[in-house]
Amino acid sequence: MTKDSNTRRNQPKVSLPLWGVALLALFIAVLIIGSTIWLFNTVQGIASTLDTTAPEFVPGDGGAGTENIWNLDDPLVTPAAEEGGVGAGLSPDVLRPWSGKERVSILIMGIDLRCDEEGPTHTDTMMVLTMDPVGLSAAALSLPRDMWVEIPNYGANKINQAYFFGEAYDYPGGGAALAVETVEAALGVPIDYYAAVNFQAFIDFVDLIGGITVEVPEDIDDPTYPDNCYGYDPFFISDGEQELGGEQALKYARTRATAEGDIDRAARQQQVVLAARDKLLRLDMAPRLLVQA
């Protein structure tokens, strides 16, 4: 045995008392939380400086009812309203000129309207799509409907309440306007356009393009899937590649009957959007849609 090894063996061992270990753990936790907050604020600050086409966006025409609920006779995207005008049902003639270079952000809202209801309702789905025509990139961000946020003028609540409050209390611009303002405040990113679609409009659209093809990652068995009223319409789908019509696609996008609940649901909704995009980009789709228009 060498002298160096004897020296190392004779060196005293350092052990922290219990309070020291707790203090060290607390310091590490504070460091992690602090760095996370700093990263979020930094990213939010960068995102909020992105150029947009209409930061003064005032959508919707307000009031209770279904004025802002679209069907297939309406445009798929409602443009930002001119000052003092209304957002829903605007003709293409009032669209602001777009140079083709600005980033565009769209809020997609799935409206939870059942049994031919006409009163205020909630958003079942909220998704932000953003497109950069210069960088040729696009991204989608799903917002969990139970996420707690600050709703302007109404305090902290679930994000899916914003549309309801806007409709129920005649907020200027209606439920869509308040939903847009809520998302803008939560993300720090201006929203240029919105699309509000009810369940039947979604079904009709998917059927119109001839259905979609999705790769189902696992069997899904949902015996308590809600129907269009307040009962149940059991849903089951096997894993693997599946061809889905409108009703099946809606169930696949809405069910929560998997291990990760809302997280899995958000992923499926984005999968459905991409599947519809892929279908629309097929060369034979344009003639088919023109014939059915």
Side-chain angles (χ1 to χ4, degrees):
M1 184 176 295
T2 65
K3 181 178 180 181
D4 290 340
S5 62
N6 287 330
T7 301
R8 286 195 298 269
R9 172 174 293 183
N10 293 330
Q11 287 178 344
K13 295 181 179 180
V14 178
S15 59
L16 289 175
L18 184 59
W19 65 266
V21 174
L23 185 62
L24 180 60
L26 178 62
F27 173 77
I28 294 174
V30 171
L31 181 63
I32 293 174
I33 294 173
S35 61
T36 302
I37 295 174
W38 173 85
L39 180 60
F40 173 82
N41 290 335
T42 301
V43 173
Q44 186 184 56
I46 295 173
S48 64
T49 62
L50 296 173
D51 292 333
T52 58
T53 57
E56 68 276 21
F57 175 48
V58 182
D61 60 356
T66 58
E67 293 84 359
N68 289 327
I69 308 300
W70 296 357
N71 54 44
L72 292 181
D73 296 327
D74 295 326
L76 288 181
V77 175
T78 297
E82 298 291 347
E83 186 68 29
V86 296
L90 288 179
S91 68
D93 297 333
V94 300
L95 283 171
R96 290 186 177 85
W98 182 56
S99 68
K101 296 181 180 179
E102 298 91 351
R103 177 182 291 273
V104 175
S105 296
I106 305 169
L107 176 62
I108 307 295
M109 292 176 284
I111 306 303
D112 190 359
L113 196 66
R114 311 183 193 186
C115 294
D116 298 323
E117 295 172 326
E118 294 184 357
T121 187
H122 303 81
T123 48
D124 185 73
T125 297
M126 301 183 79
M127 184 186 303
V128 177
L129 305 180
T130 181
M131 293 164 283
D132 180 3
V134 176
L136 298 179
S137 63
L141 175 65
S142 296
L143 304 175
R145 66 181 188 176
D146 294 331
M147 181 174 70
W148 279 77
V149 297
E150 186 72 19
I151 299 177
N153 301 311
Y154 294 93
N157 214 309
K158 294 180 181 179
I159 196 169
N160 74 333
Q161 286 282 86
Y163 191 94
F164 176 87
F165 288 152
E167 293 293 305
Y169 299 109
D170 294 328
Y171 189 81
L178 186 56
V180 166
E181 290 180 22
T182 300
V183 171
E184 287 180 332
L187 300 182
V189 176
I191 302 296
D192 305 294
Y193 302 93
Y194 76 90
V197 183
N198 63 17
F199 295 152
Q200 190 59 49
F202 176 90
I203 292 172
D204 292 344
F205 173 74
V206 173
D207 286 339
L208 180 64
I209 65 176
I212 58 175
T213 302
V214 297
E215 185 69 30
V216 181
E218 60 179 313
D219 290 353
I220 300 177
D221 185 13
D222 188 355
T224 59
Y225 178 87
D227 61 14
N228 287 335
C229 290
Y230 294 96
Y232 298 121
D233 184 13
F235 171 62
F236 176 82
I237 190 170
S238 301
D239 65 345
E241 185 175 282
Q242 302 288 348
E243 299 285 337
L244 305 181
E247 290 190 5
Q248 282 186 305
L250 178 65
K251 291 181 178 181
Y252 181 68
R254 290 190 64 214
T255 181
R256 293 181 173 189
T258 50
E260 297 298 327
D262 264 336
I263 296 176
D264 288 344
R265 191 173 91 131
R268 286 192 297 272
Q269 289 171 354
Q270 294 188 14
Q271 184 185 19
V272 166
V273 170
L274 292 176
R277 179 207 62 178
D278 292 343
K279 190 65 174 288
L280 288 169
L281 291 177
R282 283 173 37 180
L283 295 178
D284 63 338
M285 280 306 302
R288 181 187 301 181
L289 292 177
L290 287 174
V291 169
Q292 299 185 51

